[in-house]
Amino acid sequence: MKTVSSAECQTRLGEYLESVCTQPITIEESGRAVAVLISCSEYERLVALENAYWLERAKEAGASGFMGSEKSMEILKAGLNAET
């Protein structure tokens, strides 16, 4: 992965926008990594991967007897009211 300073990124943004099609670019400020420039297709791939992960977790929760958000909220509110 290529690493560039934020000042260099500002100066050569057009070049780096073309480069992200093949590799991400780390952007540093004061020698510290602050951002990563990636292509739209890579971003979409990562979002789809994260969505698939959370969908699987939701399915597992449902299969294990998760009671749902409304019932969970009722229990939380009851517990808070009991403390007062």
Side-chain angles (χ1 to χ4, degrees), residues 1 3 5 15-17 19 21 26 31-33 35 42 46 50 53 63 67-68 70 72 75-76 80 82-83:
M1 182 177 337
T3 300
S5 69
E15 178 185 328
Y16 294 137
L17 289 176
S19 295
C21 292
T26 300
R32 183 177 64 90
E42 179 63 6
L46 292 172
E50 183 176 23
Y53 171 83
M67 63 186 89
E70 290 179 17
S72 296
I75 292 170
L76 287 171
L80 289 173
E83 291 179 3

Side-chain angles (χ1 to χ4, degrees), residues 30-77:
S30 302
R32 183 177 64 90
V34 294
V36 176
L37 189 61
I38 59 173
S39 67
C40 283
S41 61
E42 179 63 6
Y43 174 77
E44 290 167 357
R45 185 187 74 79
L46 292 172
V47 168
L49 187 63
E50 183 176 23
N51 288 343
Y53 171 83
W54 288 113
L55 177 60
E56 189 59 33
R57 298 294 78 75
K59 287 179 182 178
E60 289 173 3
S64 68
F66 175 69
M67 63 186 89
S69 59
E70 290 179 17
K71 184 67 177 169
S72 296
M73 188 58 74
E74 287 176 27
I75 292 170
L76 287 171
K77 285 180 180 179

